[in-house]
Amino acid sequence: MNNRLVTVVGATGTHGRGIAKLLLKSGWRVRGVCRNVGNDNASALKALGAELVSADLDNRNAVNDAIKGSDAVVSIIASLQNHHDIGQATQGIHVAEAAALAEVKHFVYSAVLNPTPGIMGHGSKLAIIERIHELGLPATVLKPCFFMDNLLTHFPVQMQNGAAVVALPFPPETTLQLIAVDDIARAAATVLNAPDQYIGKSLDLIGDQRTIQQMVDIIGKVTGKPAVAATIPLAALAQGWPQGVPMLKLLTKGGQHGDTAMLGKLIGKPTDFAAWVRETLAPKLNN
């Protein structure tokens, strides 16, 4: 049985908790680092056997203490929530430096597909990756694309007058590369359980590729409900989330930006969008 300790920074976030749960199931000892150890997600992980610690990622000493004694680290730093890119870069660099100080044997950083200079939420990830290389960490960089699960969180599908309304800040003809967060967890577990194969590599994580209209049509077909696309004007989003607009404009360009075969090599058959709708979205719409 694996008795190694992996520290998951961001363990209660959208895909961090999936990674933590899967590693617990595969026999790892898991330490979850989060802001609030008393919320529902933290309590659920603790009930599964994880050790939960609270750490201010802006505090270098607190991060050092949280990571001390780890065999491996998974780093997931929240985007656009802490002084925008400067805050994300600072926190991610603190985690990388703490991992180097602890002499961890494997560092896994979850970045973004095709990080682009000058785009808020991307520049910080490039800075973190650069620092990982400077430190000489035995690292693997995961590069997931647009989360299917964003249709539950940031842009939730809602039932209105008997129809599923898919409201996204992209025209219906926009093509998005997509991934289910559970597949990110499966990829992270694969990488951590075979470090010799993946240290030093940067891995694109893409599970499916669809236009917005195709996504809407799939939701309608799978759920048996009318489904319609609604385009959220970027100008409206800019009023409350101006730092995210450049990133959304980049996604609006659509097209293929990564290795679509890599995820299958890591985990076998990825979750396609229809399967995700059937297994994850539809049950919530029917509640």
Side-chain angles (χ1 to χ4, degrees):
M1 181 175 178
N2 181 5
N3 196 40
R4 292 172 295 170
L5 172 65
V6 57
T7 294
V8 180
V9 179
T12 58
T14 301
H15 66 293
R17 62 180 177 269
I19 292 172
K21 288 178 181 178
L22 193 55
L23 291 174
L24 283 165
K25 288 181 180 178
S26 64
W28 284 82
R29 290 187 297 125
V30 174
R31 176 187 295 157
V33 179
C34 54
R35 290 186 297 273
N36 181 2
V37 297
N39 65 24
D40 290 345
N41 289 335
S43 298
L45 284 179
K46 188 174 181 179
L48 293 173
E51 170 194 1
L52 272 295
V53 298
S54 176
D56 178 1
L57 300 186
D58 291 318
N59 184 319
R60 188 186 300 270
N61 290 331
V63 178
N64 289 346
D65 289 342
I67 288 177
K68 186 183 302 180
S70 302
D71 295 291
V73 169
V74 178
S75 177
I76 306 163
I77 308 299
S79 298
L80 305 175
Q81 292 185 2
N82 175 25
H83 307 299
H84 312 320
D85 264 20
I86 294 173
Q88 185 183 172
T90 299
Q91 292 183 351
I93 288 169
H94 283 171
V95 173
E97 291 177 343
L101 183 66
E103 298 182 343
V104 302
K105 298 176 179 64
H106 196 181
F107 186 84
V108 176
Y109 173 54
S110 183
V112 67
L113 184 67
N114 199 31
T116 304
I119 299 296
M120 192 75 76
H122 284 219
S124 53
K125 292 177 173 64
L126 288 168
I128 294 166
I129 292 169
E130 178 65 21
R131 187 59 179 141
I132 289 169
H133 292 322
E134 290 172 351
L135 292 165
L137 279 170
T140 306
V141 177
L142 303 180
K143 297 194 295 183
C145 54
F146 190 85
F147 296 173
M148 297 177 191
D149 303 71
N150 285 337
L151 297 186
L152 299 174
T153 54
H154 298 298
F155 304 105
V157 178
Q158 298 186 6
M159 295 302 300
Q160 297 180 11
N161 300 319
V165 179
V166 185
L168 289 165
F170 317 112
E173 67 273 13
T174 302
T175 298
L176 291 180
Q177 293 185 312
L178 305 162
I179 187 168
V181 294
D182 285 348
D183 282 359
I184 303 175
R186 292 166 64 194
T190 296
V191 164
L192 281 164
N193 287 319
D196 292 344
Q197 294 183 42
Y198 298 109
I199 285 175
K201 294 186 177 180
S202 180
L203 306 173
D204 295 344
L205 303 183
I206 302 166
D208 203 352
Q209 182 167 297
R210 301 285 177 178
T211 67
I212 304 301
Q213 189 58 56
Q214 287 172 335
M215 293 165 64
V216 171
D217 293 343
I218 288 169
I219 290 171
K221 181 177 180 180
V222 171
T223 63
K225 303 176 185 295
V228 295
T231 302
I232 304 171
L234 286 177
L237 280 175
Q239 295 180 14
W241 194 41
Q243 65 272 24
V245 170
M247 179 172 58
L248 295 172
K249 286 183 176 178
L250 180 68
L251 287 171
T252 301
K253 295 179 181 179
Q256 183 170 322
H257 301 294
D259 182 353
T260 57
M262 178 54 67
L263 184 61
K265 296 175 184 176
L266 289 168
I267 66 171
K269 181 176 172 54
T271 304
D272 62 28
F273 187 69
W276 179 83
V277 172
R278 183 171 55 253
E279 296 164 7
T280 304
L281 178 63
K284 296 184 182 299
L285 291 180
N286 289 328
N287 285 341

